[in-house]
Amino acid sequence: MGGAIGSGMLKPQSLEQMQDVEGQPGSSGFWTLRYYQPLFDIDTIQVLNRIKGSLLPRPRGVFFDLISANPDLWGPFWIATTLIFAMAVTGNLSSYYAYTGPAGGWTYNFNQLTLAGSVIYSYVTLLPLLLWAALRYYEAQKRLVDIICIYGYTLGVFVPVSILCVLPSEPLRWLLVLAGGGVSALFLLSNFHAHLSDCFP
């Protein structure tokens, strides 16, 4: 059952290769690292192009077309991880610059790292999983890896936003977060609406 569920996540040519591997004695198929290798088979130029594609205004649905032949989890993982550390560092820097107590009294808040990690990794895994389950219910044929991929890349806009949030201005921080959220939301809506309008007219 695991192999049947996971097989929909891979591109066709990779699936054929995996079926050959699964046919060999002792192979566990869906549970092997080799099964997921195609999802990390991507170079730096492709990742950068996908990041740019998620930030710049594009025709509706273009990003799904960009990743359809070779969706990856490499970019989403590193974007999410970079964002987590950027949020933790800039959050502590903001706290440091705003500190007005006695000298030597400021301490690093490690909880910001764990909180950022929990929020970001949940966003990039649980939300795509819930959306994928809902789309399956409505018989919309979207692969889980495509949805995780697009959710991961849409976080790219928040990396520069989190760095700029170190500036000592609360209204400016909120403006940056809202702007980043708007770009991310428009990107997701334009791509999903273009490909799912047949299911949700």
Side-chain angles (χ1 to χ4, degrees):
M1 179 179 177
I5 295 174
S7 63
M9 300 183 349
L10 300 177
K11 56 185 180 180
Q13 58 268 35
S14 300
L15 177 57
E16 292 172 1
Q17 295 169 359
M18 292 300 104
Q19 287 173 339
D20 292 338
V21 172
E22 288 174 0
Q24 297 174 0
S27 174
S28 54
F30 179 73
W31 302 107
T32 62
L33 291 177
R34 197 173 202 179
Y35 188 88
Y36 298 95
Q37 184 177 350
L39 301 179
F40 295 88
D41 185 17
I42 190 169
D43 59 37
T44 304
I45 299 301
Q46 288 175 300
V47 171
L48 291 176
N49 286 336
R50 292 178 180 195
I51 292 173
K52 286 191 293 185
S54 68
L55 297 176
L56 302 175
R58 312 271 294 196
R60 292 166 56 183
V62 164
F63 194 82
F64 267 131
D65 296 334
L66 180 66
I67 66 171
S68 61
N70 183 27
D72 75 286
L73 298 182
W74 180 260
F77 171 76
W78 282 112
I79 291 171
T81 303
T82 302
L83 179 58
I84 288 167
F85 281 96
M87 289 173 63
V89 170
T90 56
N92 278 281
L93 280 175
S94 298
S95 172
Y96 175 76
Y97 291 140
Y99 179 72
T100 56
W106 182 85
T107 57
Y108 180 86
N109 184 2
F110 189 77
N111 289 335
Q112 291 193 1
L113 180 62
T114 55
L115 177 61
S118 300
V119 171
I120 298 303
Y121 283 140
S122 296
Y123 172 85
V124 83
T125 54
L126 296 182
L127 279 182
L129 186 60
L130 291 173
L131 179 59
W132 175 75
L135 294 177
R136 294 273 294 185
Y137 177 79
Y138 287 102
E139 300 181 353
Q141 298 302 316
K142 270 295 166 198
R143 296 177 300 181
L144 176 60
V145 70
D146 288 338
I147 300 174
I148 293 176
C149 185
I150 194 171
Y151 263 84
Y153 277 104
T154 196
L155 288 176
V157 68
F158 290 104
V159 175
V161 165
S162 65
I163 294 172
L164 291 173
C165 281
V166 76
L167 298 173
S169 172
E170 195 67 23
L172 178 59
R173 290 173 187 164
W174 278 107
L175 184 61
L176 289 168
V177 170
L178 290 174
V183 170
S184 178
L186 285 174
F187 173 69
L188 288 172
L189 287 173
S190 65
N191 277 278
F192 281 109
H193 180 269
H195 284 266
L196 302 177
S197 56
D198 55 335
C199 299
F200 306 99

